Amino acid sequence: MNRSALFAAATAVATTTALGLSSATTATGSPTADPVPGPAMTATTAVARAKTAIGDHLAVLRATGADAFTVKDVIVDPDGSSHVRMDRTIGGLPVLGGDVVVHQAEDGTFEGASLTLSRSADVSRTPKVSVATATATSKALAKGLKAEGNPRW
């Protein structure tokens, strides 16, 4: 940082402090409580409400009791409504395209969900071929190919 920028920043801090322009004080300079809850608390509340909404609206989410959801992102709008994005797994397996966004009003009322699945992704997780057959088939199909990069799992 050059000298003039450093001087300008120091002047701004000194002026703000001297005039008592901090948002955490009243006109008399005494501390006040923050009237708006912190974003972490709001996000925590939004997540708790979204998890409850999932259990109450499995059909809307095209989910079953085997589906599990992991929170990936939380957005709380200025009006208090929330949008919680979650990834879906079934039996520990990730469901590609199975992510959902749960939308709720400020009071926690479920307003809907955004998702791409047109039907439940709950499929049998019992293998139809043995490990030995799968290994032999994959080796035969990959014969002569060179592996590059890192596998996803």
Side-chain angles (χ1 to χ4, degrees), residues 9 18 24 32 37 47-48 56 62 68 74 79 91 94-96 103 106 114-115 117 130 133-134:
T32 61
V47 168
D56 295 342
R62 296 178 183 86
V74 179
D79 68 357
V95 179
L96 301 180
H103 307 284
E106 179 183 14
S114 299
L115 61 152
L117 293 180
S130 68
T133 302

Side-chain angles (χ1 to χ4, degrees), residues 22-105:
S22 169
S23 62
T25 60
T26 64
T28 61
S30 59
T32 61
D34 189 359
V36 179
M41 189 171 82
T42 303
T44 301
T45 302
V47 168
R49 289 176 175 172
K51 287 182 177 181
T52 299
I54 286 174
D56 295 342
H57 299 91
L58 288 175
V60 172
L61 298 170
R62 296 178 183 86
T64 68
D67 294 39
F69 296 88
T70 304
V71 175
K72 291 298 176 186
D73 188 33
V74 179
I75 297 173
V76 179
D77 293 337
D79 68 357
S81 60
S82 63
H83 314 277
V84 181
R85 185 175 77 82
M86 299 184 209
D87 285 343
R88 178 189 319 233
T89 59
I90 298 178
L93 300 172
V95 179
L96 301 180
D99 56 325
V100 301
V101 180
V102 176
H103 307 284
Q104 298 176 102

Side-chain angles (χ1 to χ4, degrees), residues 147-153:
E148 294 182 17
N150 296 322
R152 182 169 177 185
W153 290 286

Side-chain angles (χ1 to χ4, degrees), residues 117-130:
L117 293 180
S118 59
R119 60 188 166 96
S120 173
D122 191 19
V123 296
S124 172
R125 290 169 300 282
T126 304
K128 295 189 186 222
V129 296
S130 68

